[in-house]
């Protein structure tokens, strides 16, 4: 006796080969009926013996294709219509809002196999893909995800490709970006205008299939810099073993020190043999490198590290990743060596995606360009993760992870858009019980950043077919995102910076009710008008109360402080009354070889401004204490990128060195204050080694945090301590704190998929806003 069932599956089921999987599974079970995509859901009507229907229902979740994330939304008895076969119906737009936008997927093993097999018609074709792999988010112009709604719309399928596309049992059945050398995108290699160094490529030299790849490899071997169009934007690439090439890239990009990511060719059984020649892999880093998102992973260098010295100067870690698109596979296979692959952009801006723009804006940087003609609809930088406490933690969201889709702990009242802060901006859109977070956009300092910011805001609402009814932004009146929010004709909720950090972490751990949340970062506008950044907040989303912090200090130089760590060091010295502007210290013999100590005249001018409250603000930012320590211990007085001093300080920590005990007392408002003053003489003591002073500083900061937690535990009950804010990207500090808290029987929670830095603010703003009022 046959029965019939109607099954609805939601979750990530589009663009991952889910319908062909349903088709094959149903056929195997001898069932008849139909399967159909409708705006993100899969609707199945199946007829057959009840037992087979049960098996189908189980298999739909348990045996789904690897990249699918199906959820069973509905399974009810239906009326049998006497279907004689199982068939796949064309997509229908049911107007339902359950839309899931698939991320860009790394090239699957089957496609790599074809790519490298000479008999295959896609042998060596850098745009090979299938239902399990290929570009998605960066080529989708509208949902539902079908070829006409992608930037592949301009590439009509050839007969061979069409046959594959239409054959339900083919692994390219309805693979929307499907392409082959006959009908798909092509590479174009173009010599640049950059003069010198034997750059003799003719412009528009090589508009012939596959030619571009060879020329790129030749250029790499000659030590040149090439802008290569990838999945979510351009990379600037060069030989990672060539010091001169790397130096030239740094000079042209005005990026003297900031670490550069390196893409490694696959080799050996697990693909990681060449990585192992340079880096110290363990289980976590190996697994993370092979993660489907193919993120950039920060990994410790080997002691006999033999790639270019200037890839990550002063740091013991390197950002490493593996090829994720067929073009990268081809390029690295032909080159055979690790290759620098850093974002093709102007510092702080989103990665460039357009051929004309890259040729004009990176004309002074790249010797040549490797373009392709598959348009990138929106930029997505490579994601970055760092292993801390035994698992990878998100540092930057991007290609392969974005848009990040999450469920909310409860339904949000009305569609809400959160626009983040100012640095490392992401945006988030929430409706019903869902929230989606954009990839990393960048710093909102330039026209292009604002354009991409606006595009993301429009796109996210269009793709998910949700119109926002309200906006959440930071409390800081000077942020471009705050001003943007004010200019919209929608209600605006302002969320304090550290409340947003705290709620971002709480949103990742909905099982915790009461928190003691440490939010440490470089700067955030406080509800009292001072700049916070070393705050302990107790409570839960929507109900945070500031309980502890650091002794406040006055800092001169406004926004310059982040790039001029000496200002933080000087401010601490001046606050405790070191005579004559700390002059003795900055020009002591130990500091003679330091990085750009301020000259005596500048120092005096700064001191006078500081005394007279000219362009000063009061701050409690832990990030600035780290800056100060880097200046005092390492002589890192000027930083060429945000966080450089603290990163360097973390990496020189040697051995275990006991903490200095910091006095902890309540201020007039009852907020506990850790006083950093006892640190100063020790940090300046040249008879203690640099490594020991760095260790001592980290231990002291960890001790101060734990002391605050122990003191607050006497008057407040909390289920867990949370660590959020950019400072907790510091592994040494974070692991120390987690251990020390555990000794006190206190559980610590860390960020996982949401960045601890300002990239996590938009998500936190959503969580905070939905719990306010
Ligand atoms: Zn594939
Ligand atoms: Zn074709």
């Amino acid at each position: 006796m046959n029965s019939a069932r109607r099954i609805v599956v939601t979750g990530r089921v589009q663009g991952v080969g889910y319908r062909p999987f349903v088709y094959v599974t149903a056929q195997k079970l001898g069932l008849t009926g139909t399967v159909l995509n409708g705006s993100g859901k899969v609707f199945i009507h199946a007829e057959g013996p009840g037992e087979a229907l049960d098996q189908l229902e189980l298999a739909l979740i348990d045996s789904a294709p690897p990249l699918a994330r199906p959820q069973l939304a509905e399974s009810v008895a239906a009326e049998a219509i006497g279907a004689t076969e199982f068939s796949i119906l064309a997509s229908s737009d049911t107007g339902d809002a359950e839309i899931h936008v698939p991320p860009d997927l790394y090239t699957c093993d089957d496609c790599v196999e074809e790519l490298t097999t000479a008999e295959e018609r896609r042998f060596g074709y850098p745009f090979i893909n299938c239902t399990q792999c290929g570009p998605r988010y960066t080529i989708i112009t509208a949902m539902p995800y079908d070829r006409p709604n992608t930037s592949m719309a301009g590439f009509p399928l050839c007969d061979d490709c069409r046959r594959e596309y239409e054959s339900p049992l083919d692994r390219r059945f309805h693979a929307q970006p499907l392409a082959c050398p006959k009908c798909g995108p092509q590479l174009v290699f173009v010599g640049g205008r950059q003069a010198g160094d034997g750059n003799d490529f003719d412009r528009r030299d090589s508009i012939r299939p596959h030619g571009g790849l060879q020329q790129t490899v030749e250029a790499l071997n000659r030590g040149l810099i090439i802008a290569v169009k990838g999945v979510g934007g351009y990379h600037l690439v060069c030989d990672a073993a060539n010091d001169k090439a790397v130096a030239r890239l740094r000079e042209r990009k005005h990026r003297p020190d900031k670490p550069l990511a390196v893409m490694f060719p696959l080799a050996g059984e697990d693909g990681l043999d060449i990585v192992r020649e340079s880096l110290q892999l363990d289980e976590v880093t190996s697994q993370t490198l092979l993660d489907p998102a193919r993120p950039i992973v920060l990994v410790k260098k080997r002691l006999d590290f033999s790639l270019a010295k200037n890839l990550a100067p002063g740091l013991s870690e390197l950002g490493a990743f593996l090829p994720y698109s067929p073009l990268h596979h081809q390029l690295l296979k032909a080159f055979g060596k690790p290759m620098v692959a850093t974002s093709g952009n102007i510092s702080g801006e989103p990665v460039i995606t357009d051929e004309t723009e890259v040729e004009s804006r990176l004309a002074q940087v790249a010797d040549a360009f490797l373009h392709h003609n598959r348009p990138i609809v929106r930029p997505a930088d490579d994601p970055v993760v760092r292993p801390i406490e035994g698992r990878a933690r998100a540092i930057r969201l991007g290609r392969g992870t974005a848009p990040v889709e999450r469920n909310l702990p409860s339904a949000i009242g009305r569609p809400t858009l959160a626009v983040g802060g100012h640095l490392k901006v992401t945006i988030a859109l929430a409706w019903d019980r869902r929230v989606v977070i954009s990839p990393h956009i960048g710093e909102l300092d330039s026209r292009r950043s604002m354009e991409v910011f606006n595009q993301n805001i429009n796109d996210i609402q269009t793709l998910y077919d949700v119109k926002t009814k309200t906006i959440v932004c930071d409390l800081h009146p000077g942020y471009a995102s705050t001003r943007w929010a004010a200019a919209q004709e929608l209600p605006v909720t302002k969320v304090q910076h550290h409340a947003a950090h705290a709620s971002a972490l709480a949103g990742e751990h909905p099982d915790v009710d009461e928190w003691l949340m440490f939010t440490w970062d470089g700067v955030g506008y406080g509800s009292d008008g001072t700049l916070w950044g070393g705050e302990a907040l107790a409570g839960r989303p929507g109900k945070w109360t500031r309980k502890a912090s650091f002794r406040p200090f006055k800092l001169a130089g406004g926004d310059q402080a982040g790039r001029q760590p000496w200002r933080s060091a000087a401010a601490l010295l001046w606050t405790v009354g070191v005579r004559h502007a700390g002059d003795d210290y900055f020009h002591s013999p130990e500091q003679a070889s330091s990085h750009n100590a301020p000259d005596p005249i500048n120092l005096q001018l700064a001191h006078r401004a500081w005394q007279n409250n000219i362009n000063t603000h009061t701050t409690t930012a832990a990030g600035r204490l780290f800056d100060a320590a880097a200046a005092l211990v390492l002589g890192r007085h000027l930083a060429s990128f945000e966080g450089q001093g603290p990163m360097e300080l973390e990496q020189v920590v040697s051995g275990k060195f006991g903490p200095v005990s910091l006095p902890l007392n309540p201020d007039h408002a009852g907020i506990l204050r850790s006083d950093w003053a006892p640190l100063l003489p020790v940090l300046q003591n040249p008879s203690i080694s640099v490594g020991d002073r760095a260790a001592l500083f980290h231990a002291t900061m960890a001790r101060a945090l734990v002391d605050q937690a122990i003191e607050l535990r006497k008057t407040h009950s909390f289920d867990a301590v949370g660590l959020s804010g950019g400072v907790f990207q510091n592994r040494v500090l974070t692991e120390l704190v987690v251990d020390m808290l555990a000794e006190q029987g206190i559980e610590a929670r860390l960020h996982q998929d949401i960045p601890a830095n300002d990239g996590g603010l938009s998500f936190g703003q959503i969580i905070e806003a939905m719990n306010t009022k």
Side-chain angles (χ1 to χ4, degrees):
M1 181 50 195
N2 276 1
S3 47
R5 202 170 291 179
R6 174 191 149 86
I7 302 172
V8 182
V9 183
T10 61
R12 189 202 289 164
V13 287
Q14 280 204 322
V16 292
Y18 198 75
R19 277 177 304 170
F21 152 75
V22 174
Y23 175 89
V24 172
T25 310
Q27 283 219 323
K28 264 191 214 153
L29 292 167
L31 296 166
T32 61
T34 57
V35 56
L36 143 93
N37 251 356
S39 291
K41 293 183 187 180
V42 170
F43 298 87
I44 300 156
H45 174 91
E47 300 185 11
E51 202 176 310
L53 290 172
D54 290 344
Q55 281 174 324
L56 174 68
E57 203 177 297
L58 269 180
L60 287 176
I61 306 299
D62 293 349
S63 314
L67 297 161
R69 299 285 179 273
Q71 295 160 17
L72 193 67
E74 188 184 319
S75 175
V76 292
E79 202 152 315
I81 50 171
T84 55
E85 54 173 16
F86 201 90
S87 52
I88 299 179
L89 303 181
S91 294
S92 83
D93 189 350
T94 59
D96 199 301
E98 184 79 5
I99 293 167
H100 297 266
V101 179
D104 302 300
L105 305 171
Y106 76 102
T107 311
C108 74
D109 293 349
D110 290 345
C111 282
V112 172
E113 178 76 32
E114 279 186 31
L115 184 68
T116 49
T117 303
E119 297 75 40
E120 292 289 344
R121 68 189 190 91
R122 292 187 182 84
F123 172 64
Y125 180 58
F127 303 95
I128 188 171
N129 64 77
C130 71
T131 56
Q132 294 300 299
C133 75
R136 302 285 189 270
Y137 171 73
T138 53
I139 61 163
I140 293 173
T141 50
M143 294 297 282
Y145 170 59
D146 273 324
R147 191 173 177 98
N149 289 340
T150 70
S151 64
M152 290 299 290
F155 296 92
L157 292 171
C158 69
D159 289 346
D160 289 336
C161 285
R162 175 157 301 284
R163 249 192 305 281
E164 294 168 331
Y165 185 83
E166 289 174 350
S167 158
L169 291 179
D170 195 279
R171 68 185 197 86
R172 295 200 168 83
F173 173 67
H174 285 194
Q176 308 304 347
L178 167 68
C180 79
K182 233 194 299 177
C183 66
Q186 301 293 340
L187 295 174
V188 179
F189 182 91
V190 178
R193 271 166 290 175
Q194 186 64 40
D197 292 317
N199 178 15
D200 45 16
F201 299 110
D202 291 332
R203 282 188 61 72
R204 301 286 157 190
D205 177 8
S206 153
I207 308 185
R208 59 193 163 90
H210 304 300
L213 209 64
Q214 249 170 356
Q215 282 174 303
T216 306
V217 172
E218 280 164 31
L220 281 169
N221 280 321
R222 283 166 53 187
L224 301 180
I225 297 160
I226 310 98
V228 176
K229 186 176 179 182
V231 174
Y234 279 82
H235 282 130
L236 285 164
V237 309
C238 71
D239 182 351
N242 183 333
D243 289 79
K244 277 189 194 147
V246 175
R248 198 157 44 230
L249 173 59
R250 288 196 172 284
E251 196 187 307
R252 291 184 188 169
K253 225 189 157 200
H254 306 297
R255 182 168 162 154
D257 311 299
K258 199 172 177 188
L260 298 166
V262 173
M263 192 182 271
F264 287 80
L266 295 172
E269 203 172 320
D270 62 357
L272 299 174
D273 279 6
I274 297 180
V275 185
R276 257 181 223 107
E277 288 170 11
S278 297
L279 306 176
Q280 303 178 30
L281 292 183
D282 58 20
E283 209 181 312
V284 176
T285 44
S286 308
Q287 274 175 12
T288 312
L289 281 167
L290 293 163
D291 181 278
R294 290 291 192 269
I296 295 173
V297 188
L298 302 182
V299 189
K300 256 205 157 19
K301 295 176 192 167
R302 279 172 59 129
L303 294 175
D304 58 352
F305 183 79
S306 62
L307 297 177
K309 305 275 171 297
N310 45 358
L311 290 172
L315 303 179
S316 60
E317 287 182 340
L318 183 75
F321 61 146
L322 299 177
Y324 51 84
S325 83
L327 173 56
H328 297 126
H329 276 281
Q330 288 291 92
L331 195 52
L332 281 165
K333 191 157 185 270
F335 182 51
K337 292 185 288 182
M339 168 183 95
V340 169
T342 188
S343 304
N345 61 358
I346 308 291
S347 173
E349 291 189 5
V351 62
I352 298 174
T353 54
D354 178 77
E355 174 179 331
T356 318
E357 189 174 5
V358 79
E359 284 197 28
S360 79
R361 298 200 70 194
L362 298 185
Q364 306 306 317
V365 182
D367 295 302
F369 300 87
L370 182 62
H371 303 301
H372 61 68
N373 58 345
R374 183 179 69 203
I376 299 173
V377 175
R378 62 187 66 79
D381 245 314
D382 294 311
V384 181
V385 300
R386 186 178 197 195
I388 298 175
E389 268 292 310
R391 67 159 285 174
R393 316 277 171 184
I395 301 283
R396 182 168 84 187
L397 304 175
R399 179 265 324 143
T401 54
V404 178
E405 299 189 351
R406 299 182 66 91
N407 289 329
L408 292 169
S410 61
I412 194 162
R414 50 189 175 165
T416 303
L417 174 76
V419 294
H422 183 69
L423 302 174
K424 302 181 169 72
V425 169
T426 62
I427 59 155
L429 179 68
W431 70 101
D432 299 337
R433 288 198 60 159
R434 297 184 62 195
V435 56
V436 293
I437 307 155
S438 78
H440 167 84
I441 295 170
E443 310 177 9
L444 298 185
D445 285 327
S446 68
R447 194 178 52 83
R448 173 162 162 79
S449 296
M450 286 310 291
E451 277 170 14
V452 171
F453 175 74
N454 273 296
Q455 186 199 3
N456 264 281
I457 287 171
N458 293 329
D459 269 6
I460 206 164
Q461 297 182 74
T462 310
L463 287 178
Y464 289 91
D465 197 20
V466 172
K467 196 116 197 75
T468 190
K469 295 279 189 292
T470 174
I471 299 171
V472 199
C473 67
D474 196 272
L475 198 59
H476 199 306
Y479 285 177
S481 56
T482 307
R483 292 199 300 271
W484 180 91
Q488 310 306 305
E489 286 170 355
L490 287 172
V492 174
T493 307
K494 291 187 176 183
V495 169
Q496 199 279 323
H497 195 91
H498 302 95
H501 274 309
S503 287
L505 183 53
E508 281 206 273
H509 300 273
D511 58 311
V512 176
D513 289 329
E514 286 297 322
W515 288 92
L516 178 61
M517 199 68 88
F518 289 89
T519 55
W520 286 10
D521 62 4
V523 66
Y525 200 77
S527 53
D528 58 1
T530 69
L531 296 181
W532 293 8
E535 318 313 310
L537 309 176
R540 52 171 73 195
K543 293 187 178 57
W544 299 111
T545 325
R546 191 184 186 206
K547 292 293 176 193
S549 184
F550 284 95
R551 172 179 171 183
F553 61 99
K554 194 168 71 174
L555 188 58
D559 292 342
Q560 299 170 60
R563 295 289 177 91
Q564 301 183 356
W566 69 266
R567 289 181 181 275
S568 295
L572 299 185
L573 293 170
W574 295 335
T575 302
V576 298
V578 170
R579 277 179 59 79
H580 195 46
D583 212 10
D584 302 345
Y585 173 72
F586 283 107
H587 301 100
S588 64
E590 289 75 34
Q591 295 289 316
S593 62
S594 68
H595 311 282
N596 300 304
D599 66 56
I601 293 173
N602 254 338
L603 199 61
Q604 274 187 26
L605 284 174
H607 189 215
R608 209 165 303 148
W610 184 85
Q611 281 176 315
N612 296 317
N613 296 323
I614 297 165
N615 194 19
T616 59
H617 54 260
T618 299
T619 184
T620 49
R624 295 287 96 93
L625 296 177
F626 276 83
D627 280 346
L632 295 174
V633 176
L634 300 173
R636 170 54 67 197
H637 295 302
L638 288 184
S640 70
F641 61 95
E642 189 86 19
Q644 182 178 11
M647 277 168 75
E648 291 173 345
L649 191 66
E650 178 192 350
Q651 314 242 344
V652 299
V653 167
S654 62
K656 285 208 186 300
F657 211 87
V660 175
S661 166
L662 302 187
L664 180 64
N665 291 301
D667 65 8
H668 61 88
I671 294 170
L672 290 173
R673 302 281 185 175
S674 293
D675 184 358
W676 36 261
L679 266 170
L680 296 179
V682 197
L683 293 180
Q684 295 174 83
N685 185 346
S687 66
I688 308 174
S689 78
V690 162
D692 283 350
R693 278 184 278 164
L696 173 146
F697 175 73
H698 283 80
T700 301
M701 294 299 280
R703 181 79 255 166
L705 186 155
V706 175
D707 284 349
Q708 290 183 358
I710 291 171
E711 193 57 31
L712 288 168
R713 186 164 58 172
K714 294 175 186 164
T715 47
H716 295 77
S717 65
F718 48 84
D719 306 315
V721 157
L723 308 177
S724 187
V727 168
F728 294 108
Q729 295 170 106
N730 181 317
R731 182 171 57 205
V732 170
L733 175 79
T734 303
E735 294 184 346
L736 208 51
V737 168
V738 171
D739 285 353
M740 288 165 72
L741 285 171
E743 282 168 22
Q744 300 295 326
I746 299 172
E747 187 196 357
R749 296 289 184 101
L750 308 177
H751 278 289
Q752 296 175 356
D753 306 325
I754 304 290
N757 60 45
D758 284 5
L761 284 179
S762 61
F763 174 64
Q765 289 168 342
I766 293 283
I767 300 292
E768 184 66 6
M770 67 186 284
N771 286 285
T772 318
K773 334 177 245 255

